[in-house]
Amino acid sequence: MLAAVPPSRAMSKWSVGRKPSRTLGLLLLVILSYLVLRRLDWYNLVPAWLRHRQSGLQANGQHFMLEDSTFWIFGGSVHYFRVPKEYWRDRLLKMKACGLNTLTTYVPWNLHEPERGKFDFSGNLDLEAADTDLPRAFVLMAAEIGLWVILRPGPYICSEIDLGGLPSWLLQDSGMRLRTTYKGFTEAVDLYFDHLMSRVVPLQYKHGGPIIAVQVENEYGSYNRDPAYMPYIKKALEDRGIVELLLTSDNKDGLQKGVMDGVLATINLQSQHELQLLTNFLLSVQRVQPKMVMEYWTGWFDSWGGPHNILDSSEVLKTVSAILDAGFSINLYMFHGGTNFGFINGAMHFHDYKSDVTSYDYDAVLTEAGDYTAKYFKLRSFFGSISGVPLPPQPDLLPKIAYEPLSLNFYLSLWDALQYMEEPVNSEKPVNMENLPINNGNGQSFGYTLYETTIASSGVLSGLVRDRGQVFVNTVSIGFLDYEKKKIVIPLIQGYTRLRILVENRGRVNYGDNIDDQRKGLIGNIYLNDSPLKKFRIYSLDMKKSFFQRFSVDKWSPIPAVPTFPAFFLGVLSISLSPFDTFMKLEGWEKGVVFINGQNLGRYWNIGPQETLYLPGAWLDQGINQVIVFEEKMAGPVIQFTETPHLGRNQYLD
């Protein structure tokens, strides 16, 4: 029996004994904090007996293994850069509640390195940093919620994003060969990977993080320009500390050429017919390996002027069931699509050029605003039946509201606004967007560019305009030049006249063989009666937040009875209570861009199929909200608001 210790002596012993422990604890905390902040590889400094993650995700026969257990990947794609950061948690909790265990996301190089050597991982691009003033970063938030992560860092990602996620400044090099071992490309990739992987490496499974696999590029088999390229990317990842399972991902057009040694091949598809074909091919080249559909397309993206794409929820359930019955792990692309905020949308150009709409709803499992669909409920029931454990409860939907119609009462024509902009570039010949000597030598990535010169005669104007150029004689619009219309008649004029061409980058191609040919603006000379025009003044209208800071209150005037277009329109949305999500409907307006409190919501165009713009409540303030619309052709009387989107269907009645 232990002798009793007097309370005074016990307190004395405890006080003396805890001081060294507290000092040591504080010292360790300081050291660990320093290492994390410096993003050093602190894993190798931790004693072996503290490490409990050894094997990671592995291909073992026909099964995935995570450590010593068979592991099935039930994944879903959500792109952090398409979702307001305030809503990341909502979307990921809904993923977990659907019975999924893995998040997949792309990493868009063009957004993270907008200028060569200048990196941005802030706000909506906060992939991993643990800034205490922000919500938990995307990858760490996934781990906190209980999701594993498959990272798809590119450098090319497709993703229906401008140039497939490659920075436009790469195209300043006239000899650039994207997605090859061309020196100009690999040097840029190496610098980007140096920066990105220093952030990613500590988030890997074997370092205590949630990343269990990393994809090597994306669908390279369908491009296949350089046999040395994929081995280069694989080595670039491994040399920078990527130690988790490596994957490739290809569709039916590229699988045969996309397989590489030491990397597990996965497939992308939408139909059960494709599943059978690709399964047979996988068995022939990989023999007994775990099988995975990296992208089961739950819907499809929309293009301006086309239909809204729909995939029936019953068909989705049948195909998902067939994929799992065939022994595949699966990733739903998209689980939640989100929005192509700003000008980030991509385009397709096979026979015709088709740019993607602002909404990336994708007819996915969650709508653009994160609401449940028939697909969600059916898949939740299905995954719940095979999970073996009760699923978490479904989070409540975020409320929506239809604000009162908004009148925009102030106006500034583009021609009047030019005097407040930065000095134009003076050039003997037209210069394409990417090669303009602006943005610290990085050119212009997104938006519009205005070209001005002087002409002294009428005739036929011709040239290559990418993608859409509105032609003006002085301030009068006389038509458009684009892929279809390459010539326009300049009417009879007297004396010297100002010729203006307002060119819009509608989105660089994100998939196909012609990604090297995606320079925007005026491409080469523009001709009047076969004679090249000279002496241009070129304005960059990138419409970043800083762009509008030049338009102070005194620059605006009341809207005239007959406005001159293009023009900026200004109004105030007043909100008395807490802001909620809503959708803007620009009935009567023709084509342009909307900005709320400096945030670019994206393009609208009355040719459809998209008829509303998603406005997140997280971007609104209680009180006064500034609304600016840039309209090219025709303004409507008001802006309307609705609680539900208009995409050619009602998402809730699938």
Side-chain angles (χ1 to χ4, degrees), residues 300-589:
W300 202 246
F301 57 91
D302 294 342
S303 301
W304 287 114
H308 176 59
N309 291 296
I310 302 171
L311 184 61
D312 183 75
S313 60
S314 297
E315 183 65 26
V316 168
L317 182 61
K318 287 178 185 177
T319 306
V320 169
S321 179
I323 288 169
L324 297 187
D325 286 345
F328 280 78
S329 283
I330 190 171
N331 178 62
L332 305 174
Y333 188 100
M334 297 293 295
F335 177 78
H336 169 55
T339 309
N340 291 317
F341 292 117
F343 298 118
I344 69 171
N345 65 274
M348 302 290 275
H349 193 175
F350 293 106
H351 300 295
D352 300 313
Y353 173 85
K354 297 178 180 179
S355 61
D356 301 334
V357 302
T358 298
S359 172
Y360 200 61
D361 174 81
Y362 206 86
D363 196 39
V365 182
L366 292 180
T367 70
E368 179 179 13
D371 292 334
Y372 300 119
T373 65
K375 291 175 184 176
Y376 184 93
F377 295 124
K378 290 178 180 179
L379 289 171
R380 173 177 157 85
S381 177
F382 174 74
F383 285 117
S385 69
I386 62 177
S387 69
V389 295
L391 296 183
Q394 294 171 209
D396 293 336
L397 294 179
L398 298 177
K400 312 291 187 299
I401 193 170
Y403 293 107
E404 291 297 316
L406 171 66
S407 295
L408 303 183
N409 298 317
F410 297 95
Y411 154 93
L412 179 63
S413 78
L414 174 61
W415 316 122
D416 290 337
L418 293 180
Q419 62 187 304
Y420 309 127
M421 296 180 187
E422 291 184 357
E423 280 297 310
V425 173
N426 293 296
S427 175
E428 187 70 10
K429 298 180 179 180
V431 180
N432 58 284
M433 285 187 180
E434 296 78 5
N435 287 96
L436 288 174
I438 60 174
N439 294 324
N440 300 313
N442 290 275
Q444 180 179 344
S445 295
F446 305 114
Y448 297 76
T449 305
L450 177 67
Y451 297 83
E452 287 189 351
T453 189
T454 301
I455 58 175
S457 66
S458 59
V460 177
L461 185 73
S462 62
L464 292 181
V465 178
R466 298 292 181 265
D467 297 302
R468 186 175 190 259
Q470 190 172 2
V471 181
F472 300 85
V473 173
N474 293 323
T475 61
V476 178
S477 175
I478 62 170
F480 291 87
L481 292 172
D482 55 23
Y483 291 91
E484 301 297 322
K485 189 173 184 181
K486 299 178 181 178
K487 295 182 179 182
I488 192 170
V489 175
I490 304 294
L492 185 63
I493 56 178
Q494 293 182 348
Y496 288 96
T497 299
R498 187 170 296 179
L499 176 74
R500 291 161 158 157
I501 307 174
L502 178 65
V503 184
E504 178 193 15
N505 166 13
R506 288 177 50 201
R508 296 180 182 85
V509 164
N510 56 267
Y511 181 86
D513 293 335
N514 57 343
I515 60 171
D516 287 342
D517 186 28
Q518 292 303 306
R519 294 168 185 86
K520 301 298 184 179
L522 294 184
I523 310 302
N525 284 315
I526 192 94
Y527 298 90
L528 182 59
N529 298 327
D530 297 326
S531 296
L533 296 175
K534 305 289 186 181
K535 295 184 172 20
F536 285 85
R537 289 163 58 86
I538 307 172
Y539 294 85
S540 171
L541 311 179
D542 55 14
M543 301 193 191
K544 299 175 183 176
K545 283 188 178 182
S546 58
F547 179 88
F548 292 103
Q549 291 171 358
R550 305 185 189 98
F551 303 161
S552 55
V553 175
D554 60 310
K555 306 294 193 300
W556 300 84
S557 60
I559 299 176
V562 182
T564 299
F565 292 93
F568 299 93
F569 294 83
L570 172 66
V572 170
L573 175 62
S574 182
I575 299 176
S576 57
L577 301 175
S578 296
F580 294 137
D581 286 5
T582 189
F583 295 87
M584 303 181 73
K585 186 172 177 62
L586 289 102
E587 192 169 347
W589 303 73

